[in-house]
Amino acid sequence: MIDIQYSAEVRAAKDAGRPIVALESTIITHGMPYPQNIEVAAQVEQDIRDAGAVPATMAVIEGKLHVGLEPDQLQWLGQAQGVAKISRADMAACISTGETGATTVAATMIAAHYAGIEVFATGGIGGVHQGAETTFDISADLHELGHTPVTVVAAGAKAILDLAKTLEVLETLGVPVIAHGQDAFPAFWSAKSPYAAPLRMDTPEAIAKAHATRRALGLPGGQLVANPIPIADQIPAEILAPIIAEAQADADAHRITGKDVTPYLLQRIFEMTEGRSLTANIALVRNNARLAAAIARALVEQG
Ligand code: PSU
Ligand code: MN
């Protein structure tokens, strides 16, 4: 067994059987610029507490798997240089070699499941990249959703991705994609994409019940809850489309590949929107944290 280093708050919540929501750390180290990254990380944790659950931000620090970070550890991680971005493929190596890594959606799901946490909030999952028919760039997040029984609340998949192909792969992997409160699959910075989500649920209780039913059936794999960004905070898709296309063209011209693609695109879009993409990103993560807390509470209440 791997030793888990729990934060004091998560340890107490586990002992008392209180609802817990997992959070990833790649969004802190690779998804947002300093110092907003640290402010947002602390704010999102507080949003979860205010909604009646306990936040558990995941990271590997010097080879130790942390489930819940103390405030000083969160501050440190947000400024640390050279932190690895770890997914399913590199998580064990990061722990065994004593290195420090921030967890992606895939690695956070693994850590959450290992710690007995069933609900996780993030911004957007990774998915099938544009041009994947030649690059084969498909995020390990999708396979993790097919394997690991955690309900992930995200604002859909990032609009830098090929959403139609992302939905097809999720269907192939048997992942329920549940839009919250609308029919359309959301597009991260925009509330709606042109694609319908395969499922729709309007309450956290219904989502919790679906999660528990999958567990009762013994199905491996998680659920993707696609929670639209609040309309007041969204960036209309038609404004973003040319910006995303230009960012993608830059990434291709600079031959950015592998793990570097997503952080590169997010940073370019941040620059080209003069920070507006970050403001929207913050709003949608907070919105997801609140829904995830309500789902975690419903799961505990439903027993
Ligand atoms: N969502 C965000 N910002 C991010 C990410 C998601 O709002 O930075 C990160 C997540 O950690 C996700 C990862 O798992 O990007 C996907 O990376 P890739 O496309 O390389 O699988
Ligand atoms: Mn990739």
Side-chain angles (χ1 to χ4, degrees):
M1 294 292 280
I2 298 287
D3 262 0
I4 296 179
Q5 191 78 47
Y6 287 103
S7 65
E9 188 184 18
V10 173
R11 173 86 273 163
K14 275 196 74 77
D15 291 347
R18 295 191 53 210
I20 303 174
V21 173
L23 294 167
E24 61 156 308
S25 46
T26 293
I27 190 168
I28 303 171
T29 55
H30 293 72
M32 292 184 182
Y34 175 81
Q36 289 99 327
N37 61 346
I38 297 179
E39 288 159 25
V40 176
Q43 179 67 63
V44 169
E45 288 201 345
Q46 193 54 43
D47 290 331
I48 289 172
R49 292 184 194 105
D50 292 346
V54 168
T57 302
M58 310 292 184
V60 176
I61 301 178
E62 293 174 351
K64 270 247 177 271
L65 175 58
H66 286 254
V67 174
L69 297 178
E70 303 299 343
D72 58 318
Q73 292 169 330
L74 200 63
Q75 292 277 331
W76 174 82
L77 189 71
Q79 301 171 65
Q81 301 293 315
V83 175
K85 170 181 165 185
I86 54 175
S87 188
R88 166 175 276 255
D90 11 51
M91 190 166 189
C94 186
I95 293 171
S96 66
T97 58
E99 275 162 50
T100 295
T103 53
T104 59
V105 168
T108 303
M109 290 179 73
I110 295 169
H113 181 53
Y114 194 66
I117 299 169
E118 297 180 88
V119 182
F120 163 24
T122 185
I125 61 162
V128 181
H129 279 268
Q130 293 175 19
E133 58 275 28
T134 50
T135 63
F136 280 49
D137 189 352
I138 301 176
S139 177
D141 292 351
L142 300 183
H143 290 271
E144 206 59 53
L145 279 160
H147 272 294
T148 303
V150 172
T151 284
V152 179
V153 182
K158 282 182 277 287
I160 53 179
L161 301 166
D162 187 322
L163 295 186
K165 291 193 182 74
T166 299
L167 285 166
E168 290 291 351
V169 171
L170 286 164
E171 186 191 4
T172 302
L173 296 172
V175 178
V177 177
I178 304 166
H180 177 239
Q182 67 180 30
D183 294 326
F185 187 63
F188 200 66
W189 297 284
S190 317
K192 290 184 180 169
S193 75
Y195 310 102
L199 297 165
R200 167 184 175 157
M201 290 184 189
D202 292 347
T203 65
E205 290 75 21
I207 297 165
K209 213 167 161 191
H211 176 103
T213 304
R214 286 180 61 86
R215 195 209 290 132
L217 284 168
L219 289 175
Q223 309 189 110
L224 176 60
V225 177
N227 188 32
I229 184 172
I231 297 288
D233 298 308
Q234 75 165 343
I235 308 179
E238 57 277 14
I239 292 181
L240 273 177
I243 293 172
I244 292 169
E246 194 180 330
Q248 184 66 55
D250 286 353
D252 294 343
H254 289 89
R255 298 188 198 287
I256 309 291
T257 57
K259 285 172 188 287
D260 300 331
V261 174
T262 295
Y264 180 90
L265 291 173
L266 290 176
Q267 175 62 26
R268 280 300 285 136
I269 293 166
F270 170 73
E271 291 162 11
M272 286 191 271
T273 59
E274 290 163 353
R276 202 172 157 202
S277 65
L278 179 61
T279 308
N281 199 341
I282 293 168
L284 66 86
V285 178
R286 295 186 63 186
N287 190 46
N288 295 342
R290 289 185 286 262
L291 177 59
I295 296 167
R297 286 180 55 186
L299 262 182
V300 169
E301 279 157 22
Q302 289 169 11

